[in-house]
Amino acid sequence: MSKTILIGAPIDSGQRYPGCLMGPSAYRVAGLAQAIRDLGHGVEDWGDVALPDLKPLTCPNPAVHSLAETVGWTETLADRTDDALSQGGLPIILGGDHSLALGSVAGAAAYARRNARPLFLLWLDAHSDFHTPLTTTSGNLHGTPVAYVAGRDGFDAFPPFPAPIPPQNICLYGIRSVDPAEHAALLTHDIAINDMRVLDENGIVAPLRAFLDRVRAAGGMLHVSLDVDFLDPSIAPAVGTTVPGGTTFREAHLVMELLHESALVTSLDLVELNPFLDERGRTARLMVDLVASLMGRKVFDRPTRGHM
């Protein structure tokens, strides 16, 4: 049995759609802890992190907003994620917008460095999030975490990333919305880019298994960052950045089951859930079901409504 540690990250500062700060509560109401316990795993809920005292910060890019808040959240979440890993837990960070990954992945990287293990990142998202604070035109810092963890310039206001993740250790999976500046930057980095065309042509399984095989061969830790918009908006409407053409219910569960079977996942983000945009908790419940699949529940084990 593993010990999972829930860490709430009520963060709205990385984007402009109010509501993501309610995400941690929605996951709890949707029964995340019980779903994990039902599979025989221990669960500790560490509650929500709090924003520390803010430092006055500025950015040369006038479009950037909420910089001090985002840096504060980054520092706090890095510490909490590192603490959870140090206590032998599998931290699940309940978001909150995707800027939380600036902190959660930094915490995982700090722990991995102390333990002399390589860290790998699986980015399940419609977006590549490869902007920097200097290149973003929207000013939304939830579009920057992958650039931060890969060691791109432009993050002077943030804590130095503990050990930038080599591009070949990063897998963007399911992306289908990339800005021109991000596209140009990605071409100069050896990051595995499995967009929806790649998945349509090669299937959902082969690219993921190839990446997991590399993690296993390196004896690596694996941080998974799951954005609601990885899913098609027809099944997961509670996100402010909907992009048509996402993964289906079956595809998403298959990804989670493959991750469970790999036994490689060491930390997990659940991001961009905006309960204000949900339909009676539909998206929150689906995300809880996906976590259950990652923790060992099989889709065919669950009774359908007609058999209950």
Side-chain angles (χ1 to χ4, degrees), residues 84-106:
L85 287 164
S86 298
Q87 293 189 27
L90 188 157
I92 302 179
I93 296 86
L94 315 177
D97 69 59
H98 220 154
S99 66
L100 70 81
L102 294 158
S104 63
V105 184

Side-chain angles (χ1 to χ4, degrees):
M1 292 192 301
S2 63
K3 176 177 73 172
T4 58
I5 297 174
L6 307 183
I7 302 171
I11 300 174
D12 255 347
S13 63
Q15 40 81 59
R16 299 180 189 271
Y17 293 95
C20 283
L21 60 84
M22 299 185 294
S25 295
Y27 285 121
R28 293 182 176 109
V29 172
L32 178 61
Q34 191 59 50
I36 296 171
R37 288 191 186 100
D38 287 345
L39 294 163
H41 305 287
V43 181
E44 295 179 12
D45 191 337
W46 284 8
D48 293 352
V49 295
L51 190 63
D53 293 337
L54 301 182
K55 308 167 189 174
L57 297 172
T58 59
C59 180
N61 180 356
V64 169
H65 64 89
S66 307
L67 177 63
E69 291 87 348
T70 304
V71 170
W73 288 121
T74 297
E75 293 172 341
T76 298
L77 272 174
D79 288 343
R80 292 298 273 172
T81 304
D82 191 348
D83 288 346
L85 287 164
S86 298
Q87 293 189 27
L90 188 157
I92 302 179
I93 296 86
L94 315 177
D97 69 59
H98 220 154
S99 66
L100 70 81
L102 294 158
S104 63
V105 184
Y111 177 85
R113 181 177 63 179
R114 285 199 313 277
N115 288 273
R117 294 183 65 188
L119 179 64
F120 289 73
L121 174 64
L122 178 62
W123 200 255
L124 305 176
D125 198 329
H127 306 86
S128 60
D129 292 339
F130 206 59
H131 273 297
T132 77
L134 302 182
T135 66
T136 175
T137 56
S138 69
N140 295 333
L141 292 174
H142 71 165
T144 64
V146 178
Y148 181 53
V149 306
R152 290 191 70 192
D153 294 333
F155 291 89
D156 293 346
F158 289 81
F161 196 80
I165 301 178
Q168 63 269 22
N169 288 12
I170 300 172
C171 178
L172 306 180
Y173 190 91
I175 63 171
R176 53 195 187 279
S177 177
V178 181
D179 291 345
E182 292 177 292
H183 184 267
L186 284 167
L187 291 177
T188 67
H189 292 74
D190 188 24
I191 292 176
I193 303 173
N194 294 293
D195 60 15
M196 290 308 293
R197 174 166 178 170
V198 169
L199 300 185
D200 286 343
E201 291 183 348
N202 298 287
I204 204 87
V205 173
L208 180 57
R209 278 194 173 145
F211 181 68
L212 295 175
D213 286 346
R214 290 176 47 220
V215 179
R216 185 179 296 104
M221 296 173 54
L222 177 59
H223 184 97
V224 176
S225 204
L226 172 61
D227 192 311
V228 170
D229 68 22
F230 172 65
L231 307 164
D232 192 81
S234 64
I235 60 170
V239 62
T241 52
T242 55
V243 183
T247 53
T248 66
F249 176 91
R250 290 191 306 169
E251 290 170 336
H253 273 287
L254 179 55
V255 167
M256 296 299 115
E257 290 186 11
L258 291 171
L259 289 173
H260 168 72
E261 290 166 5
S262 76
L264 293 170
V265 178
T266 49
S267 46
L268 172 69
D269 300 329
L270 305 177
V271 306
E272 296 288 349
L273 175 67
N274 187 334
F276 187 74
L277 302 175
D278 211 354
E279 300 169 356
R280 299 185 178 183
R282 173 186 178 192
T283 307
R285 290 194 301 271
L286 174 55
M287 291 288 280
V288 167
D289 282 347
L290 291 176
V291 174
S293 286
L294 188 148
M295 300 299 293
R297 188 168 72 186
K298 306 297 183 186
V299 172
F300 59 76
D301 289 337
R302 295 168 56 242
T304 62
R305 186 172 299 275
H307 291 84
M308 298 176 88

